[in-house]
């Protein structure tokens, strides 16, 4: 085994990179970078039935978008390749047969029907099914080879000791051991010649000199069997780090209809469950498509179950995370994914962007609803940046500029500005000739002309400006005040909307 730290992220190509997978990839990356090691990407595609076309390319894309640059992988190469398991399929039978010869595995000729019968019998007795080692005890190695040569289907199973302990050491959970009699003889090589995940990942980790394996706690129960394989081969096992799951607060859902299951009182039933694509929880790609910044997502995901030692700081660049990350800061308890907290993180990141960087991100969203030839998008971006939580909000924040929404006359009633429909009519009648007579249509000209005239009207500033903004936007909340909105709309559209509001009042 190499003395250099070598970690690997080994996703299956079953779709977009979900957030739990992203966190595993991130921690695996940080562990390597923290110790000056190498980070490897390996695609584990032995479960061909679950593979989604194009998913491998999505994994490459997501990893690069997140900034998790890998030193070795299918598309970058490396001395331990190939890095896609189906391209390594010829390797696994060799090691499986080596294990058979050493007594750590055996050939099994039981049919699917026989296995199903055994499983049903175990369930009828209220027991957890475990293969009964029938072929180990009844089929010699010589007979197995004859039957295989005759073309009979078979699998290769791990030969778990029938007594004693199997154990492993974990960086988070310490020493873990189980009774061997509770472990099943897992299939290592399937009838189609492909390895199972449980076998391939052990072989690949050894051959790729992986020193540290980071994965979810769902693999805790399998780790003792992995170590039995390492022992049978005479290999040194890697250091394990099993990560608690990422959970989300949700409601109890019907798996078929995808609708909430209500209690007897007709109320939704709150639950805390594991993040899952099956329930429509967002993937990394989904969040990017919703206008979240990749830097904010990665920063927030890093804090799901980990905290830096000696500081309450929450904001870290990926480069800073590489320096401060410490596996001892990982919590054993499940982490709760909070969409509201992520949105807050995103808003903070957006506020820290340079105006140009913000504009570059915002304009593609704004032009979904606004004609860039008609509107001053640079000025609009200046008004929007401090108000933006996610970029996906932007079209809905500015669509009133493209088309006046139906005017809700109740908006002209406002306690803060002491506005009523009657005062609003008076205010609009007062301000209209001022706007109509402006020689130039700029924010400064609009502001100066109206603000200089208001004292002569006997009205308060807000009593004039509130109805003016409502009249030309139809919104109680806009990116800027009446003057900014009038400037963006232009003289002709502003006057058109102002006249329509006065007529409606």
């Amino acid at each position: 085994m190499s003395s250099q730290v070598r970690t690997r992220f080994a996703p299956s190509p079953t779709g977009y990179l979900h957030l739990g997978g992203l966190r595993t990839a991130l921690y695996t990356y940080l562990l390597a970078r923290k110790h000056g090691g190498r980070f490897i990407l390996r695609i584990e595609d032995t479960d061909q039935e679950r593979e989604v076309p194009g998913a491998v390319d999505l994994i490459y894309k997501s990893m690069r978008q997140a900034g998790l640059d890998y030193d070795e992988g299918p598309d970058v190469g490396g001395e331990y390749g190939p890095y896609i398991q189906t391209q390594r399929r010829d390797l696994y039978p060799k090691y499986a047969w080596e294990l058979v010869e050493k007594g750590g595995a055996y050939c099994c000729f039981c049919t699917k029907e026989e296995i199903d019968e055994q499983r049903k019998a175990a369930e009828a007795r209220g027991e957890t099914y475990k293969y009964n080692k029938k072929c180990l005890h009844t089929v010699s190695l010589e007979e197995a080879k004859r039957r295989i040569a005759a073309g009979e289907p078979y699998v290769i199973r791990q030969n778990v000791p029938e007594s004693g302990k199997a154990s492993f050491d974990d960086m988070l959970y310490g020493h873990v051991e189980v009774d061997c009699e509770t472990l099943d003889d897992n299939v290592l090589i399937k009838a189609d010649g492909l390895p199972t995940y449980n076998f391939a990942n052990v072989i690949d980790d050894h051959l790729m000199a992986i020193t540290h394996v980071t994965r979810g706690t769902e693999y805790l129960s399998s780790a003792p069997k992995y170590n039995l394989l390492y022992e049978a081969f005479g290999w040194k096992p890697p250091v394990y780090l099993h990560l608690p799951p990422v959970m989300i607060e949700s409601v109890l859902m019907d798996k078929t209809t995808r609708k909430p299951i209500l209690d007897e009182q007709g109320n939704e039933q709150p639950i805390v469950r594991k993040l899952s694509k099956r329930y429509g929880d967002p993937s990394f790609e989904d969040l990017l498509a919703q206008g979240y910044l990749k830097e904010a997502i990665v920063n927030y995901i890093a804090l799901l179950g980990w905290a830096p030692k000696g500081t309450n700081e929450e904001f870290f660049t990926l480069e800073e995370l590489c320096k401060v990350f410490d596996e001892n800061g990982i919590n054993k308890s499940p982490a709760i994914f909070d969409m509201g907290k992520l949105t807050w993180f995103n808003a903070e990141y957006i506020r820290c962007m340079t105006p140009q960087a913000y504009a570059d991100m915002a304009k593609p969203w704004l032009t979904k609803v606004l004609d860039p030839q008609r509107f001053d998008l640079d000025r609009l971006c200046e008004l929007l940046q401090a108000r933006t939580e996610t970029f996906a909000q932007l079209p809905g924040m500015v669509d009133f500029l493209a088309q006046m929404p139906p005017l809700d006359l109740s908006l002209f009633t406002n306690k803060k500005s002491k506005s009523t429909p009657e005062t609003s009519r008076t205010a609009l009648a007062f301000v209209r000739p001022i706007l109509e007579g402006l020689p130039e249509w700029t924010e400064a000209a609009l502001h100066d002309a109206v603000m200089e005239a208001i004292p002569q009207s006997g009205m308060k500033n807000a009593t004039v400006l509130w109805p003016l903004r409502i009249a030309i936007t139809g919104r109680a909340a806009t990116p800027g005040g009446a003057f900014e909105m009038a400037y963006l709309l232009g003289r002709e559209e502003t006057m058109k909307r102002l006249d329509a509001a006065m007529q409606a009042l």
Side-chain angles (χ1 to χ4, degrees):
M1 185 77 72
S2 169
S3 59
Q4 180 189 48
V5 169
R6 290 176 56 84
T7 68
R8 51 77 164 170
F9 176 56
S12 298
T14 56
Y16 288 111
L17 182 60
H18 62 85
L19 298 180
L22 175 61
R23 188 188 67 165
T24 299
L26 176 60
Y27 286 4
T28 306
Y29 170 86
L30 295 176
L31 187 62
R33 295 293 177 257
K34 174 73 174 180
H35 296 285
R38 291 178 71 79
F39 175 57
I40 293 93
L41 175 68
R42 185 172 75 223
I43 303 298
E44 300 198 332
D45 61 343
T46 54
D47 191 348
Q48 297 281 284
E49 292 182 3
R50 294 180 61 231
E51 182 169 348
V52 174
V56 173
D57 289 331
L58 285 175
I59 291 170
Y60 299 155
K61 180 181 176 183
S62 294
M63 293 290 283
R64 291 205 166 90
Q65 286 177 315
L68 306 182
D69 297 324
Y70 36 96
D71 303 297
E72 302 169 31
D75 57 335
V76 299
E79 61 180 303
Y80 293 88
Y83 295 90
I84 295 179
Q85 280 188 337
T86 50
Q87 295 176 9
R88 301 168 62 84
R89 64 181 300 163
D90 294 340
L91 287 170
Y92 306 115
K94 167 194 167 187
Y95 285 96
W97 276 103
E98 180 182 330
L99 207 57
V100 170
E101 297 287 351
K102 290 182 174 182
Y106 58 93
C107 299
C108 175
F109 298 88
C110 292
T111 64
K112 181 179 182 301
E113 290 73 23
E114 289 177 284
I115 298 295
D116 287 343
E117 281 185 24
Q118 293 175 25
R119 182 175 283 106
K120 288 177 182 176
E123 290 173 354
R125 296 191 300 269
E127 300 173 357
T128 299
Y129 169 73
K130 192 177 76 161
Y131 182 65
N132 59 14
K133 291 182 180 285
K134 172 187 170 185
C135 288
L136 173 67
H137 299 308
T138 61
V139 182
S140 68
L141 181 55
E142 292 72 21
E143 181 186 347
K145 289 180 178 179
R146 286 196 302 271
R147 293 170 69 172
I148 291 168
E152 190 171 340
Y154 72 103
V155 300
I156 295 181
R157 289 183 179 274
Q158 181 177 4
N159 183 16
V160 175
E162 297 184 64
S163 62
K165 301 284 186 181
S167 65
F168 68 97
D169 293 301
D170 185 87
M171 297 171 78
L172 189 58
Y173 292 92
H175 184 72
V176 179
E177 63 179 32
V178 297
D179 293 323
C180 287
E181 64 182 18
T182 66
L183 303 177
D184 192 15
D185 286 1
N186 280 354
V187 172
L188 304 180
I189 300 291
K190 298 179 285 188
D192 62 5
L194 279 174
T196 59
Y197 168 84
N198 291 312
F199 187 57
N201 89 87
V202 168
I203 301 302
D204 289 340
D205 284 344
H206 172 73
L207 295 181
M208 293 181 182
I210 301 301
T211 62
H212 293 70
V213 170
T214 305
R215 59 186 170 218
T217 50
E218 63 267 28
Y219 295 105
L220 271 172
S221 61
S222 300
K225 287 183 281 190
Y226 298 153
N227 268 19
L228 287 174
L229 290 174
Y230 281 103
E231 290 173 14
F233 279 116
W235 297 341
K236 180 182 177 181
V239 177
Y240 295 109
L241 174 58
H242 289 87
L243 302 174
V246 179
M247 312 293 282
I248 189 170
E249 293 181 351
S250 181
V251 295
L252 192 60
M253 302 286 283
D254 185 287
K255 294 179 182 178
T256 304
T257 65
R258 298 285 182 92
K259 294 181 179 179
I261 299 174
L262 306 180
D263 62 18
E264 294 178 356
Q265 287 73 43
N267 300 315
E268 294 180 347
Q269 303 177 66
I271 59 168
V272 176
R273 58 168 175 78
K274 189 176 178 181
L275 271 174
S276 171
K277 288 183 282 190
R278 182 176 61 181
Y279 289 105
D281 295 331
S283 66
F284 179 56
E285 289 282 343
D286 291 333
L287 292 175
L288 293 176
Q290 292 168 21
Y292 287 85
L293 293 168
K294 60 185 180 182
E295 296 86 356
I297 301 171
V298 170
N299 190 160
Y300 176 64
I301 291 297
L303 299 175
L304 286 178
W306 170 83
K309 298 291 186 180
T311 177
N312 293 322
E313 178 62 47
E314 291 186 298
F315 292 92
F316 298 97
T317 64
L318 187 57
E319 292 73 21
E320 290 167 342
L321 284 170
C322 290
K323 296 175 183 176
V324 302
F325 182 76
D326 181 350
E327 57 272 14
N328 294 316
I330 298 174
N331 197 310
K332 288 183 181 179
S333 301
I336 302 295
F337 175 78
D338 183 343
M339 201 72 183
K341 184 67 180 288
L342 171 61
T343 301
W344 176 80
F345 255 93
N346 203 60
E348 292 296 311
Y349 266 83
I350 287 174
R351 279 189 272 277
C352 292
M353 296 175 79
T354 65
Q356 185 60 56
Y358 175 84
D360 290 343
M361 287 287 292
K363 285 180 180 179
W365 292 91
L366 295 174
T367 53
K368 290 176 183 286
V369 293
L370 299 180
D371 180 356
Q373 302 301 316
R374 180 182 165 194
F375 294 98
D376 183 348
L377 296 188
D378 289 318
R379 176 56 179 146
L380 186 55
C381 286
E382 291 174 358
L383 297 170
L384 286 166
Q385 183 168 358
R387 296 171 169 83
T388 306
E389 292 185 318
T390 71
F391 287 97
Q393 296 172 325
L394 295 182
M397 293 172 70
V398 302
D399 56 0
F400 68 89
L401 291 170
Q403 183 174 358
M404 178 70 180
L407 188 59
D408 180 359
L409 296 180
S410 68
L411 292 176
F412 286 105
T413 301
N414 181 272
K415 290 183 179 179
K416 190 174 181 181
S417 65
K418 298 181 179 178
S419 295
T420 66
E422 292 73 23
T423 63
S424 295
R425 278 197 298 271
T426 302
L428 296 181
F430 164 74
V431 82
R432 189 192 186 288
I434 300 172
L435 300 184
E436 188 176 39
L438 277 177
E440 59 176 346
W441 198 265
T442 64
E443 279 185 44
L446 286 160
H447 174 275
D448 293 348
V450 174
M451 297 306 288
E452 287 174 10
I454 286 177
Q456 303 167 24
S457 70
M459 290 182 282
K460 300 278 189 183
N461 290 348
T463 310
V464 174
L465 299 180
W466 175 264
L468 175 57
R469 184 154 63 91
I470 296 300
I472 63 176
T473 68
R475 294 277 185 87
T478 55
F483 304 128
E484 291 93 339
M485 297 302 99
Y487 160 71
L488 288 166
L489 286 166
R491 185 193 300 270
E492 182 180 347
E493 182 67 16
T494 297
M495 299 308 295
K496 176 184 171 184
R497 294 185 179 193
L498 188 56
D499 288 342
M502 292 174 68
Q503 185 174 358
L505 281 167

